[in-house]
C-alpha cells in the first residue's frame, strides 16, 4: 500500500523494494566517485576552518588578558615589570598568529577571514594599547604587519597540528591584517583608553586624562573622516566611540572646573559619581 | 606618522575598495562588452567595477534561463537539442564576460569579493548542468562546468569555481528536474520521469556522502528530499496506472 511506500521514502535506497525494478545505485559510478572527492575537499576545508577558529579564540583570550594586565600598569609602581610581562604575553599571542599564518600558506586569506577576524581584532587592540602606553601614539598598520612576519628560526615549539598539512614549508610566514580589522581593533582600543582615563583620575593622575582626551579626539576625527566609506561594522563602532569620547571629555571638564577645589584624595569619589551620572543620561537618551 | 595621516591613508584604501565593488560609470551598455580594462601595472586594482560585469552576467544568465525554460512547455520537448544548442551559444557570451570579470580585481583576492558573483555563478552552474543533463542525462562534472563558463576548476590556476557554488548549482538542478518530471508527464512523455528518478536518487546518495556544515549549502540540501519525494510520487502515479510499461527502461512492473 501507499502507506508503506511513504514510510520508506527517506531510507537508503538499496534496501527499498521498489528499487528492484530500477538499477541500483552503483557505489563506484562516476557521480559517486566525484562526490567522494567532494566529501574529502569539504571536510579538509571545514577542518582547517575549525582549527583557525580555535586559534582565533586562543588569540582573543590571551589578548584580553594582556589588556587587563596593562590596565594594572597605571596603578602599580612596577610599571617596567608589567610592560615586560605584557611583551611576553604578546609574544605568545604572536606565536599563535604564526600558526594561523602557517595554516594559511597557499590559501586565500579572505576565504578564512571570518574565522580569524575576531582574534586579530583583539590582538590589534592589545598591541595598540601597549604601544600607546609606551609611546603615547597610535601604532600603524605597517608596524603591526611588520611584527607579524615570522621566520623559521624561532621554532622552539613544534607545531605538530599544523605543519603536517604542508609538505614543503617556506622559510618565512607573514600575516597581513586587513585595514578593516585594523580599524575595528583601533575602535575597541578607544574603549580601553576611556577606562584608562577614568582609572588614572582615580589614582590622582591629573595629566593623563587630558593627554588621552587629545588622543581620542584625533582618533574620533579620523573615524569621522572615514565616515560611511567603510563597511557597516565600522560605522557601528563610531557610535560607541562617540560615547567613550564624551565620557573622557566630561571627565576633563570636571577636572578643569573642580580640580582646583577638590583635594586629590577625593578625586576618585567625585569621578565615581560623575561617571554614574553619565551612564544614566545615556540610558535615558 | 600622525593619527590623521594614518586615517587618511586608510580612507584611501577603503575608497579604492569601493571602486572595485561599485558601479560608478555612466549608463552601462549591460551587454557583453563590459569594459575590458586591463589591470594596472602597479598591481593596484583598476577601478572598473565588479558589479557592472556581474550585472551583465546576470542578464546573460536570465536569457539562458528563459531559453531552457522552454522545455517545460508542451511543444518544448521536441526541441530540446535545438534549445541546448542555442544555450551553448549564449555560454560563449558568459565566457567573454567572465574574462572581463577576471580583470577587475587581483587574482589572489577571489574570496574577498566572492559574495558579489556568488549568486550568479551558482545560477550559471545550474544552467550549464541543466543543459548538459538535457543533452546527455548525466551530471556535469565540476571541470566541465568550469570549462563551459570559461573559468578554472581549482583555485591555484586563477578565477575558479568554488566547490560550494558548484554543489549549490547542482541542487538547483534537482528542483528543476522535479518540475520537469511533472511537466513531461503532462506532455505525454512517460519514460522521462523514470530516468529523472534514477538520476536524482543517485544525486541524493552522492549528497549523503557529504558532511555539510550548518550553512546555506546545508539549507539547500535539506530541500533535496522534497524534490526526491516529488519525483517518486510522479513515478508512483505512473506505475499504478501501468503507464511506465510504455517506458523503455526496466518494464518489470506487473499489473
Amino acid at each position: 500500500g501507499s502507506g508503506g511506500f511513504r514510510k520508506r521514502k527517506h531510507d537508503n535506497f538499496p534496501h527499498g523494494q521498489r528499487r528492484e525494478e530500477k538499477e541500483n545505485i552503483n557505489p563506484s559510478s562516476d557521480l559517486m566517485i566525484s562526490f567522494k572527492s567532494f566529501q574529502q575537499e569539504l571536510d579538509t576545508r571545514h577542518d582547517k576552518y575549525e582549527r583557525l577558529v580555535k586559534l582565533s579564540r586562543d588569540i582573543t583570550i590571551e589578548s584580553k588578558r594582556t589588556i587587563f594586565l596593562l590596565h594594572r600598569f597605571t596603578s602599580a609602581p612596577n610599571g617596567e615589570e608589567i610592560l615586560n610581562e605584557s611583551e611576553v604575553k604578546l609574544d605568545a599571542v604572536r606565536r599563535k598568529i604564526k600558526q594561523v599564518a602557517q595554516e594559511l600558506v597557499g590559501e586565500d586569506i579572505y576565504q578564512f577571514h571570518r574565522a580569524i577576524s575576531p582574534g586579530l581584532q583583539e590582538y590589534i587592540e592589545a598591541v595598540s594599547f601597549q604601544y600607546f602606553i609606551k609611546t603615547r601614539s597610535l601604532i600603524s598598520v605597517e608596524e603591526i604587519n611588520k611584527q607579524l612576519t615570522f621566520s623559521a628560526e624561532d621554532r622552539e615549539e613544534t607545531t605538530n597540528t599544523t605543519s603536517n598539512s604542508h609538505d614543503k614549508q617556506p622559510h618565512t610566514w607573514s600575516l597581513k591584517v586587513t585595514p578593516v580589522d585594523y580599524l575595528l581593533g583601533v575602535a575597541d582600543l578607544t574603549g580601553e583608553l576611556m577606562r584608562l582615563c577614568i582609572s588614572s583620575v582615580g589614582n590622582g593622575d591629573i595629566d593623563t586624562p587630558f593627554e588621552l582626551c587629545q588622543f581620542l579626539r584625533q582618533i574620533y576625527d579620523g573615524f569621522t573622516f572615514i565616515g560611511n566609506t567603510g563597511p557597516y561594522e565600522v560605522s557601528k563602532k563610531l557610535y560607541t566611540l562617540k560615547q567613550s569620547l564624551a565620557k573622557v571629555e566630561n571627565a576633563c571638564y570636571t577636572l578643569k572646573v573642580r580640580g582646583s577645589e577638590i583635594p586629590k584624595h577625593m578625586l576618585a569619589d567625585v569621578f565615581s559619581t560623575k561617571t554614574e551620572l553619565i551612564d544614566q543620561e545615556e540610558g535615558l537618551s | 606618522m600622525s593619527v590623521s595621516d594614518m586615517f587618511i591613508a586608510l580612507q584611501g584604501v577603503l575608497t579604492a575598495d569601493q571602486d572595485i565593488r561599485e558601479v560608478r560609470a555612466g549608463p552601462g551598455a549591460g551587454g557583453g562588452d563590459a569594459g575590458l580594462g586591463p589591470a594596472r601595472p602597479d598591481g593596484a586594482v583598476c577601478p572598473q567595477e565588479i558589479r557592472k560585469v556581474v550585472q551583465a552576467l546576470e542578464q546573460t544568465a536570465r536569457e539562458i534561463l528563459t531559453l531552457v525554460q522552454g522545455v517545460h512547455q508542451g511543444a518544448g520537448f521536441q526541441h530540446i537539442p535545438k534549445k541546448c544548442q542555442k544555450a551553448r551559444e549564449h555560454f560563449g557570451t558568459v565566457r567573454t564576460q567572465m574574462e572581463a570579470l577576471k580583470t577587475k580585481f587581483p587574482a589572489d583576492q577571489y574570496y574577498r569579493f566572492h559574495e558579489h558573483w556568488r549568486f550568479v555563478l551558482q545560477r550559471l552552474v545550474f544552467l550549464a548542468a541543466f543543459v548538459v543533463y538535457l543533452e546527455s542525462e548525466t551530471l556535469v562534472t565540476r571541470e566541465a562546468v568550469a570549462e563551459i563558463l570559461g573559468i578554472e576548476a581549482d583555485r591555484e590556476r586563477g578565477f575558479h569555481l568554488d566547490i560550494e557554488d558548484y554543489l549549490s548549482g547542482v541542487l538547483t538542478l534537482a528542483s528543476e528536474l522535479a518540475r520537469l518530471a511533472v511537466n513531461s508527464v503532462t506532455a505525454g512523455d512517460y519514460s522521462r520521469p523514470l530516468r529523472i528518478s534514477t538520476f536524482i536518487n543517485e544525486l541524493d546518495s552522492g549528497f549523503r556522502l557529504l558532511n555539510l556544515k550548518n550553512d546555506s549549502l546545508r539549507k539547500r540540501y535539506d530541500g533535496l528530499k522534497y524534490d526526491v519525494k516529488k519525483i517518486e510520487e510522479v513515478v508512483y502515479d505512473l506505475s499504478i496506472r501501468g503507464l511506465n510499461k510504455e517506458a523503455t527502461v526496466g518494464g518489470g512492473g506487473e499489473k
Side-chain angles (χ1 to χ4, degrees):
Chain A
S2 77
F5 174 82
R6 276 165 202 279
K7 262 179 197 139
R8 266 191 303 275
K9 203 145 288 179
H10 302 300
D11 283 353
N12 249 334
F13 326 164
H15 309 300
Q17 58 167 32
R18 69 212 147 86
R19 306 280 163 198
E20 281 164 21
E21 53 190 84
K22 278 178 232 151
E23 84 183 301
N24 278 335
I25 306 300
N26 181 1
S28 58
S29 67
D30 287 349
L31 190 143
M32 294 306 272
I33 288 170
S34 52
F35 268 84
K36 262 173 208 147
S37 76
F38 296 157
Q39 178 197 49
Q40 218 165 33
E41 190 174 339
L42 281 173
D43 284 353
T44 318
R45 179 186 287 192
H46 293 161
D47 286 351
K48 189 180 270 278
Y49 192 89
E50 291 306 320
R51 284 197 301 273
L52 286 170
V53 167
K54 189 171 176 299
L55 282 170
S56 165
R57 285 214 178 147
D58 291 347
I59 292 169
T60 309
I61 293 167
E62 269 311 299
S63 303
K64 277 212 160 78
R65 285 186 186 148
T66 315
I67 290 167
F68 275 111
L69 175 76
L70 286 167
H71 270 300
R72 267 170 250 147
F73 173 76
T74 42
S75 50
N78 47 349
E80 210 43 46
E81 227 170 84
I82 284 184
L83 270 185
N84 288 339
E85 201 181 330
S86 74
E87 193 55 46
V88 172
K89 271 183 182 291
L90 283 178
D91 270 335
V93 177
R94 277 191 280 268
R95 273 203 295 280
K96 290 270 179 208
I97 296 180
K98 181 181 171 185
Q99 289 181 25
V100 172
Q102 284 168 335
E103 284 281 1
L104 291 176
V105 168
E107 300 283 352
D108 186 333
I109 179 169
Y110 287 97
Q111 189 178 358
F112 298 98
H113 187 232
R114 275 195 22 220
I116 54 167
S117 176
L120 282 183
Q121 284 175 32
E122 206 66 32
Y123 168 74
I124 292 164
E125 184 180 342
V127 86
S128 59
F129 192 38
Q130 190 209 35
Y131 191 85
F132 175 80
I133 288 174
K134 278 203 278 199
T135 66
R136 302 274 147 174
S137 60
L138 183 64
I139 194 168
S140 66
V141 204
E142 291 80 14
E143 181 69 28
I144 290 178
N145 283 335
K146 213 165 77 187
Q147 291 177 350
L148 296 184
T149 310
F150 311 98
S151 58
E153 284 116 67
D154 46 346
R155 182 195 254 180
E156 314 108 78
E157 37 133 25
T158 45
T159 50
N160 43 13
T161 47
T162 56
S163 54
N164 53 15
S165 50
H166 321 290
D167 289 327
K168 60 172 173 92
Q169 295 202 353
H171 294 294
T172 57
W173 299 269
S174 68
L175 195 76
K176 281 197 163 46
V177 299
T178 66
V180 173
D181 279 342
Y182 173 74
L183 278 175
L184 294 175
V186 171
D188 291 339
L189 166 74
T190 57
E192 299 306 325
L193 294 178
M194 185 269 291
R195 281 179 61 194
L196 182 69
C197 170
I198 303 298
S199 68
S200 65
V201 174
N203 297 326
D205 184 349
I206 307 290
D207 301 325
T208 313
F210 290 98
E211 216 173 312
L212 278 166
C213 187
Q214 196 58 36
F215 185 63
L216 279 181
R217 271 190 203 127
Q218 283 176 12
I219 293 184
Y220 180 73
D221 288 349
F223 270 97
T224 42
F225 179 70
I226 283 173
N228 56 4
T229 9
Y232 171 69
E233 300 99 296
V234 175
S235 345
K236 220 168 56 182
K237 296 257 174 173
L238 192 57
Y239 178 71
T240 331
L241 174 52
K242 200 169 180 176
Q243 286 183 327
S244 299
L245 181 62
K247 276 185 198 173
V248 173
E249 281 180 342
N250 281 327
C252 290
Y253 167 81
T254 316
L255 271 180
K256 201 79 184 174
V257 178
R258 320 237 318 252
S260 51
E261 304 164 8
I262 300 166
K264 271 193 180 160
H265 65 271
M266 283 178 68
L267 273 174
D269 296 338
V270 174
F271 270 93
S272 57
T273 52
K274 187 70 194 171
T275 43
E276 270 166 30
L277 258 178
I278 294 170
D279 283 340
Q280 280 165 8
E281 280 163 18
E282 273 159 10
L284 287 174
S285 59
Chain B
M1 210 185 194
S2 78
V3 174
S4 65
D5 285 345
M6 282 182 207
F7 276 89
I8 288 169
L10 284 167
Q11 207 273 337
V13 174
L14 292 174
T15 316
D17 250 28
Q18 285 203 328
D19 282 344
I20 304 176
R21 292 165 204 266
E22 266 174 30
V23 181
R24 280 199 323 170
D33 59 337
L36 271 158
R40 278 195 215 139
D42 57 353
V45 182
C46 71
Q48 302 280 2
E49 318 76 3
I50 288 174
R51 265 183 214 169
K52 191 173 152 196
V53 194
V54 167
Q55 273 172 9
L57 270 171
E58 278 166 352
Q59 178 64 32
T60 321
R62 273 194 297 273
E63 282 163 19
I64 301 174
L65 186 64
T66 319
L67 200 64
V68 295
Q69 290 278 308
V71 299
H72 291 292
Q73 270 146 29
F77 286 93
Q78 283 97 56
H79 304 302
I80 285 178
K82 218 169 81 192
K83 285 188 194 303
C84 291
Q85 180 79 39
K86 270 208 176 133
R88 289 254 179 199
E89 284 164 23
H90 277 75
F91 276 112
T93 320
V94 171
R95 281 193 287 273
T96 355
Q97 283 163 345
M98 281 293 181
E99 282 307 319
L101 183 56
K102 284 177 204 171
T103 62
K104 303 300 176 211
F105 64 98
D108 57 349
Q109 296 190 358
Y110 180 89
Y111 283 101
R112 184 166 178 193
F113 306 106
H114 190 192
E115 288 304 316
H116 293 285
W117 56 74
R118 208 173 190 157
F119 177 79
V120 73
L121 196 55
Q122 288 175 5
R123 168 156 286 192
L124 287 168
V125 169
F126 152 63
L127 291 170
F130 195 37
V131 168
V132 169
Y133 179 81
L134 290 174
E135 284 169 352
S136 64
E137 307 212 338
T138 55
L139 179 68
V140 70
T141 62
R142 197 170 153 203
E143 290 74 22
V145 185
E147 204 186 315
I148 292 172
L149 302 181
I151 55 181
E152 301 295 339
D154 83 81
R155 201 175 71 79
E156 266 78 47
R157 285 181 297 181
F159 195 100
H160 67 286
L161 174 60
D162 188 83
I163 182 165
E164 291 182 22
D165 292 340
Y166 168 72
L167 293 173
S168 283
V170 170
L171 286 171
T172 317
L173 173 70
S175 33
E176 191 67 18
L177 288 181
R179 193 180 151 215
L180 186 66
V182 172
N183 289 332
S184 54
V185 173
T186 319
D189 183 351
Y190 297 143
S191 63
R192 188 177 287 275
L194 300 179
R195 298 199 303 275
I196 291 179
S197 173
T198 318
F199 178 76
I200 288 276
N201 281 329
E202 197 176 3
L203 203 59
D204 188 47
S205 36
F207 271 99
R208 273 163 204 256
L209 286 177
L210 307 179
N211 308 308
L212 296 175
K213 278 214 301 188
N214 208 2
D215 56 7
S216 66
L217 183 60
R218 163 74 187 276
K219 269 188 211 127
R220 311 274 310 266
Y221 165 67
D222 288 343
L224 180 61
K225 58 175 178 278
Y226 299 110
D227 301 327
V228 173
K229 179 171 176 242
K230 182 79 212 162
I231 294 167
E232 281 180 351
E233 276 168 5
V234 173
V235 173
Y236 170 75
D237 282 340
L238 291 177
S239 309
I240 57 163
R241 290 171 180 83
L243 290 171
N244 60 341
K245 275 189 171 171
E246 294 169 37
T248 44
V249 266
E254 67 275 357
K255 228 175 180 185

